[in-house]
Amino acid sequence: MGSLCNGTDGGAVYTAVPRSRSGGAEGNGEYSKSGNGFAKLAPMEQESASKTKNVTSGFGYVLEDVPHLSDYIPDLPTYPNPLQDHPAYSVVRRYFVDVDDTVAQKIVVRKDSPRGAHFRRAGPRQRVYYESDDVRACIVTCGGLCPGLNTVIREIVCGLHHMYGVTSVVGIDGGYRGFYSRNTISLTPNTVNDIHKRGGTILGTSRGGHNTKKIVDCIQDRGINQVYIIGGDGTQKGASAIFEEIRRRGLKVAVVGIPKTIDNDIPVIDKSFGFDSAVEEAQRAINAAHVEATSTENGIGLVKLMGRYSGFIAMYATLASRDVDCCLIPESPFYLEGAGGLLEYIEKRIKENGHMVIVIAEGAGQELLSESAELQNQQDASGNKLLQDVGLWISQKIKDYFSKGKKMAINLKYIDPTYMIRAIPSNASDNVYCTLLAQSAVHGAMAGYTSFTVGPVNGRHAYIPFHRITERQNKVVITDRMWARLLLSTNQPSFFSKNGVIQASNENEPLSELLDDGFAYSSVMNNDFTC
């Protein structure tokens, strides 16, 4: 693997030494003992274990590792992984993940450019830090609904039971506040057998209600030692705080996050679960709008989709349907009045084609709305700014434009399928994805890793530090090829100049390498680890 230089992070010094490919037992989870794989030298001072434990390689990549139970609990015993005797895994050639396996965040690199950040690969380890009979696991769902929640719950329960023989799993009723204000729900493979066929979450959910000390008190009092938390960036920040309190108390409790957002705005991972299902259902709404628009004279079908800050659902649903004439997202500003404005474009398309279909994300055009003083600074329980209904607003603007200014009769139909989309069961693609997420989370917890979220990075599942998925939001890059493909598909203008596009992109995005799929990933390296 090559020599690594020393670096400091979180108060510790780390290095790495060459490792024999013959393998060997993993040490404390992130570095193996006896000179095999990554070797931890000596901590300079004890700081937060949730901070990234970076290791920089002579090959120019940084391993952004995640905490391990043995970081703050010395001399933990380990046990053989039950999977080594499992009949389902007997046919797998290599069913244990190698101690040195990492997953690269940047898959496209230039000849002499740094390899970028790497994350620890997810999967079963040869040694585990829990005996099956001693595991007391709990699952909680927080935030808004999303297709696939029940599938993740089901597969965590079944994964713990069938792979590791864990029989004690409970669900926390009603989100974070359910830890200290609600009863738990016993979860077994029988009770969760068919929940993946339903939308929503059988555990209930809520926003806010996060009292870290009360939650950890409940975890400690109930003897829970594995916590699986399903939710968005706010939920994952809460999970990080829960881990910090657990570490402070020295509890042997693994805290695992499964990232959830229907908007697909979580960075680092390839996509969030439920996104494929949302795009598929959004197409049905677009198809209905197209039928309505083409069935009347001067028909306009307007569809509002999810996307508070990121327009991925609107963009991908538009590309998939091919019936959309204009797609508006938060990342791409637009204006209404005057030459080159949206209203002029709508009039032009109506005259050319006799109908038009418009897709707008809920966060688009918010700067154009005259917000009331009451809504201006209001937030929901998760801390999200309350948005006005841009769909209703722009519907009225279009109607006013044609009735007052142009004396032209139009038939506008406004469709808002937001809550229908959130409440559907996950489709086949998301069901498979949720299974992989859940099983990767279970493998990580059993191996003693903690304070991490799990997700696919360039097609390989990895363990990612909490702060990496909460430090910013993933957004559509409007100077990238994916947005260009959408503009070609709809034949719509950008509604502002080329300089405006570049300026908007520079304001919204960090220095990044733009990839071919419309996502941007930060290419800034940690200068503290330069060899």
Side-chain angles (χ1 to χ4, degrees):
M1 199 168 79
S3 62
L4 302 184
C5 67
N6 296 343
T8 61
D9 183 68
V13 178
Y14 300 94
T15 190
V17 293
R19 179 186 189 275
S20 167
R21 297 311 298 174
S22 60
E26 296 181 52
N28 65 355
E30 75 278 10
Y31 309 110
S32 59
K33 298 177 181 178
S34 305
N36 292 329
F38 296 115
K40 185 168 73 172
L41 292 184
M44 296 173 60
E45 58 180 325
Q46 186 65 35
E47 287 190 9
S48 170
S50 68
K51 291 184 179 180
T52 306
K53 299 181 293 187
N54 287 354
V55 180
T56 303
S57 165
F59 290 124
Y61 73 74
V62 177
L63 170 63
E64 297 194 16
D65 214 346
V66 297
H68 193 271
L69 293 173
S70 60
D71 291 342
Y72 62 93
I73 305 177
D75 303 320
L76 278 176
T78 64
Y79 312 95
N81 193 321
L83 286 176
Q84 66 185 5
D85 300 318
H86 199 291
Y89 275 77
S90 62
V91 297
V92 181
R93 182 175 299 177
R94 269 188 77 193
Y95 47 83
F96 292 131
V97 173
D98 193 278
V99 62
D100 287 342
D101 283 358
T102 61
V103 178
Q105 182 177 0
K106 290 173 61 178
I107 196 171
V108 178
V109 295
R110 297 184 179 91
K111 180 180 179 182
D112 299 321
S113 65
R115 303 300 94 176
H118 284 228
F119 304 102
R120 189 162 292 280
R121 184 182 177 189
R125 265 57 181 178
Q126 191 171 356
R127 307 289 295 182
V128 295
Y129 282 74
Y130 292 93
E131 286 192 288
S132 301
D133 293 340
D134 294 335
V135 174
R136 302 289 182 270
C138 75
I139 306 171
V140 62
T141 54
C142 304
L145 296 182
C146 177
L149 279 169
N150 280 333
T151 307
V152 174
I153 295 168
R154 180 188 191 277
E155 296 310 320
I156 291 175
V157 174
C158 292
L160 283 166
H161 187 276
H162 296 311
M163 293 191 297
Y164 290 98
V166 173
T167 57
S168 180
V169 186
V170 296
I172 304 300
D173 185 15
Y176 272 141
R177 64 171 58 94
F179 274 100
Y180 48 85
S181 64
R182 301 275 188 99
N183 293 324
T184 59
I185 303 170
S186 179
L187 301 175
T188 67
N190 285 336
T191 61
V192 301
N193 182 53
D194 61 352
I195 64 173
H196 62 292
K197 299 175 184 177
R198 310 179 220 164
T201 165
I202 63 164
L203 301 181
T205 185
S206 64
R207 297 185 185 274
H210 185 272
N211 186 312
T212 302
K213 289 188 177 181
K214 283 186 178 182
I215 290 173
V216 178
D217 286 343
C218 174
I219 291 170
Q220 191 170 4
D221 292 344
R222 296 184 180 187
I224 293 169
N225 51 23
Q226 290 185 9
V227 182
Y228 297 90
I229 300 173
I230 310 169
D233 56 352
T235 301
Q236 303 302 314
K237 289 177 183 176
S240 180
I242 290 170
F243 163 73
E244 290 293 347
E245 180 64 17
I246 285 171
R247 183 194 62 82
R248 189 186 66 80
R249 300 186 189 186
L251 304 178
K252 184 186 175 183
V253 179
V255 180
V256 182
I258 294 93
K260 171 206 65 82
T261 169
I262 201 169
D263 291 344
N264 199 41
D265 57 3
I266 292 179
V268 181
I269 64 174
D270 296 343
K271 66 178 178 180
S272 54
F273 75 82
F275 176 71
D276 282 352
S277 302
V279 170
E280 187 175 298
E281 190 69 14
Q283 282 187 83
R284 295 187 175 94
I286 293 172
N287 181 62
H290 183 254
V291 170
E292 289 284 353
T294 56
S295 298
T296 59
E297 183 180 6
N298 298 332
I300 299 176
L302 175 63
V303 180
K304 187 186 78 172
L305 298 175
M306 290 81 71
R308 177 178 289 272
Y309 304 112
S310 303
F312 286 108
I313 291 179
M315 180 174 73
Y316 276 82
T318 294
L319 282 168
S321 73
R322 300 292 173 171
D323 287 329
V324 179
D325 299 289
C326 183
C327 177
L328 304 171
I329 61 174
E331 297 88 338
S332 182
F334 63 92
Y335 63 95
L336 293 176
E337 308 287 346
L342 176 63
L343 296 175
E344 181 185 83
Y345 173 66
I346 293 174
E347 181 183 3
K348 176 184 175 183
R349 292 304 290 264
I350 290 289
K351 289 179 178 179
E352 289 176 350
N353 300 332
H355 68 274
M356 187 175 187
V357 175
I358 304 169
V359 168
I360 186 166
E362 61 181 324
Q366 288 292 321
E367 69 280 1
L368 300 178
L369 279 71
S370 55
E371 295 188 340
S372 64
E374 293 79 14
L375 281 177
Q376 200 161 14
N377 297 312
Q378 283 190 7
Q379 296 179 335
D380 62 20
S382 297
N384 299 312
K385 182 179 178 180
L386 291 178
L387 303 180
Q388 291 200 61
D389 193 329
V390 69
L392 289 175
W393 174 81
I394 204 168
S395 295
Q396 192 59 50
K397 288 291 184 180
I398 293 171
K399 291 176 181 177
D400 291 345
Y401 174 79
F402 283 100
S403 63
K404 297 178 181 177
K406 300 298 177 181
K407 307 297 182 183
M408 180 179 177
I410 61 167
N411 289 283
L412 189 148
K413 299 296 187 294
Y414 172 49
I415 300 174
D416 182 357
T418 300
Y419 292 103
M420 292 176 62
I421 292 175
R422 294 192 339 161
I424 63 170
S426 52
N427 64 10
S429 173
D430 273 323
N431 274 335
V432 174
Y433 179 26
C434 290
T435 300
L436 298 179
L437 281 175
Q439 291 189 2
S440 294
V442 168
H443 290 316
M446 292 299 295
Y449 294 109
T450 183
S451 187
F452 69 88
T453 191
V454 65
V457 180
N458 293 318
R460 297 289 183 182
H461 283 246
Y463 299 139
I464 305 162
F466 278 139
H467 78 90
R468 284 303 311 273
I469 65 164
T470 60
E471 62 189 2
R472 67 179 181 87
Q473 289 178 313
N474 197 29
K475 294 187 177 183
V476 174
V477 182
I478 62 172
T479 55
D480 197 46
R481 285 192 289 272
M482 204 64 179
W483 185 245
R485 293 183 182 113
L486 180 137
L487 296 179
L488 288 171
S489 171
T490 61
N491 199 29
Q492 71 186 72
S494 63
F495 299 114
F496 50 80
S497 66
K498 179 180 178 181
N499 290 336
V501 176
I502 297 173
Q503 181 181 355
S505 178
N506 290 338
E507 289 174 353
N508 293 327
E509 295 296 329
L511 180 64
S512 60
E513 294 288 343
L514 300 184
L515 304 183
D516 194 37
D517 58 0
F519 296 82
Y521 299 114
S522 176
S523 62
V524 180
M525 301 294 292
N526 188 338
N527 292 329
D528 292 337
F529 290 84
T530 303
C531 291

